[in-house]
Amino acid sequence: MSDTADLLFTNLHLATMVNGYGEIRDAALAVKDGRIAWLGPRADAPPAMAQHDCGGAWMTPGLVDCHTHIVHAGNRSNEWEARLNGASYEDIARQGGGIMSTVRATREADVDTLLAQSLPRVARLLSEGVTTLEIKSGYGLDLASEARMLRAARQVGQRLPVRVATTFLGAHALPPEFAGRADDYVDALCEDMLPRLAQEGLVDAVDAFCERIGFSNAQTERMFLAARRLGLPVKLHAEQLSDQQGAQLVARFGGLSADHLEHLSQASIDAMARAGTVAVLLPGAYYFLRETVQPPIAALREAKVAMAVATDCNPGTSPMTSLLLAMNMACTLWRLTPQEALLGATAHAARALGLQEEIGTLEVGKCADLALWDIARPADLAYAIGFNPCRSVVNGGIVRAAHLSV
């Protein structure tokens, strides 16, 4: 490095997340123009305009929550109570609850209301070292309401120090005005809603819920073709409740990720491996719904499919605003290793958003989105329950307190 750095972080240990943890002890990291300019042993550190003594803390890439529905109105604690009294998730959905309950509340909310309800949820994630967040639409299911959700998502990234990737999930549920006319609704999504929202710059990727209570494989393929025409990448809620071969479909389109995957087949695993499609694991929904079929972790590992971990923050099936807890659940419930869990919330999560060239690992040239932790070793981040050791976060080279007021 020839130029003087803007800021040098020193007296720290690095978990670069390159080749596993990629540990560098007694290290330093230099930032210039908001990007990582150098990293290595502290004794070899370059000159810098300013220094930040990290007091022996560990530094990782900023965490990436790559699957959330965090912008929404209302909650569904009544449905949670109903499930505990014996109703199934599918029973509630067929009776007009489930996703449609949140749709009704979200349609009644303006952008300011959506933002006011969402910012505290986002702030809780940021307090645990999250620096990048995916936010899906899908609780509006009409053009005006979906646009409000996506505008609120964009404003989250303007109001708080977090990178936001938006995903259009219009194919989340069938709205009441299209009852019995699912194909007509998919027509509206493909020919009107998605093109108009994309033209406004509100959409970074396209998702769908491919399931018996959602959309068929053929209908999902039409959404993906519409996304392809607009040059947008795709991802998919796949194989959560049954095997609809959605993971094979999204892999065929070179999709970023297939998410949930409790009922994933070996054929779909092989397709994902060939395509480089990331498996996004969502243990919060598994836990909250008290599911018993686990994703095939060993088979995914054997096929070398990258596994990300996310909160799936949503009001109905995973009201979770702790990515650290999601990491712990993935280890405890599904036997991920702590290293796999941390890779799942950094390098692999970045890849699930198509952002692997910018974030997810500590490497020269990448954005200086970082997190500092008071821990003894990287595995501690997935170890303790209800534990938040985040000392501070760094967004584009700017050091901030982990806890924010909203």
Side-chain angles (χ1 to χ4, degrees):
M1 186 180 128
S2 56
D3 297 331
T4 300
D6 298 328
L7 178 61
L8 181 70
F9 293 95
T10 187
N11 189 18
L12 80 166
H13 309 297
L14 299 176
T16 66
M17 308 316 296
V18 177
N19 297 321
Y21 287 131
E23 296 182 25
I24 306 175
R25 293 178 179 265
D26 193 17
L29 182 144
V31 174
K32 187 172 180 62
D33 298 328
R35 294 188 174 270
I36 299 171
W38 177 92
L39 72 164
R42 176 165 51 161
D44 299 333
M49 300 289 290
Q51 289 195 20
H52 185 92
D53 188 323
C54 298
W58 277 88
M59 176 182 283
T60 69
L63 301 189
V64 179
D65 196 350
C66 64
H67 182 129
T68 88
H69 307 253
I70 207 163
V71 169
H72 62 264
N75 74 44
R76 283 159 38 199
S77 62
N78 59 321
E79 296 177 10
W80 174 68
E81 185 173 18
R83 286 201 301 275
L84 292 175
N85 280 297
S88 73
Y89 180 67
E90 293 188 33
D91 290 338
I92 291 169
R94 290 193 176 102
Q95 292 167 11
I99 292 169
M100 290 312 303
S101 174
T102 302
V103 169
R104 288 189 290 273
T106 300
R107 284 183 170 185
E108 293 172 359
D110 60 17
V111 171
D112 289 341
T113 300
L114 288 171
L115 195 60
Q117 291 191 29
S118 302
L119 287 175
R121 294 188 284 261
V122 176
R124 287 192 287 273
L125 283 174
L126 304 195
S127 74
E128 291 190 354
V130 170
T131 56
T132 296
L133 179 68
E134 188 246 24
I135 301 178
K136 301 180 189 295
S137 69
Y139 291 130
L141 309 185
D142 62 37
L143 178 61
S145 303
E146 290 286 295
R148 287 197 297 274
M149 288 190 72
L150 292 166
R151 291 188 187 108
R154 289 288 194 226
Q155 289 189 34
V156 165
Q158 296 164 6
R159 292 279 297 275
L160 293 177
V162 62
R163 180 195 300 258
V164 171
T166 59
T167 298
F168 176 65
L169 183 57
H172 196 196
L174 189 64
E177 59 270 26
F178 281 89
R181 298 188 296 124
D183 284 329
D184 290 343
Y185 179 59
V186 174
D187 285 343
L189 292 173
C190 295
E191 297 169 12
D192 181 38
M193 203 179 302
L194 176 57
R196 291 173 67 174
L197 294 171
Q199 187 175 30
E200 288 188 49
L202 294 174
V203 181
D204 296 325
V206 174
D207 194 354
F209 184 35
C210 185
E211 190 53 72
R212 292 175 304 198
I213 60 172
F215 294 86
S216 70
N217 194 289
Q219 290 163 343
T220 301
E221 182 172 10
R222 290 168 57 199
M223 285 298 309
F224 286 178
L225 288 169
R228 177 180 283 175
R229 288 193 294 271
L230 294 165
L232 294 168
V234 297
K235 55 184 67 177
L236 188 64
H237 287 63
E239 278 69 86
Q240 179 184 12
L241 305 174
S242 62
D243 183 5
Q244 302 296 308
Q245 300 182 10
Q248 292 182 56
L249 174 64
V250 74
R252 179 156 56 85
F253 276 79
L256 295 173
S257 69
D259 304 29
H260 285 290
L261 306 178
E262 281 85 341
H263 294 265
L264 188 66
S265 69
Q266 185 62 51
S268 293
I269 292 171
D270 294 341
M272 292 174 65
R274 289 192 297 269
T277 298
V278 177
V280 177
L281 306 175
L282 304 171
Y286 173 90
Y287 166 85
F288 200 72
L289 291 172
R290 301 194 300 172
E291 295 288 354
T292 57
V293 177
Q294 300 184 12
I297 301 300
L300 287 164
R301 186 184 289 133
E302 176 67 22
K304 295 182 170 51
V305 174
M307 293 181 285
V309 177
T311 63
D312 191 19
C313 177
N314 76 78
T317 63
S318 187
M320 177 194 289
T321 51
S322 172
L323 188 51
L324 295 180
L325 179 56
M327 291 164 60
N328 174 272
M329 286 180 169
C331 294
T332 303
L333 298 174
W334 296 337
R335 303 290 187 179
L336 261 69
T337 67
Q339 184 182 105
E340 286 173 330
L342 186 52
L343 281 166
T346 54
H348 297 332
R351 184 174 162 189
L353 297 179
L355 294 173
Q356 65 270 25
E357 300 302 319
E358 282 288 298
I359 57 171
T361 58
L362 303 182
E363 297 182 83
V364 171
K366 289 197 173 181
C367 187
D369 288 353
L370 318 165
L372 284 163
W373 310 93
D374 290 320
I375 53 176
R377 51 198 299 268
D380 289 352
L381 294 177
Y383 162 65
I385 300 169
F387 172 60
N388 181 9
C390 188
R391 174 186 292 188
S392 56
V393 294
V394 182
N395 303 94
I398 300 173
V399 182
R400 307 180 191 274
H403 299 274
L404 302 167
S405 298
V406 296

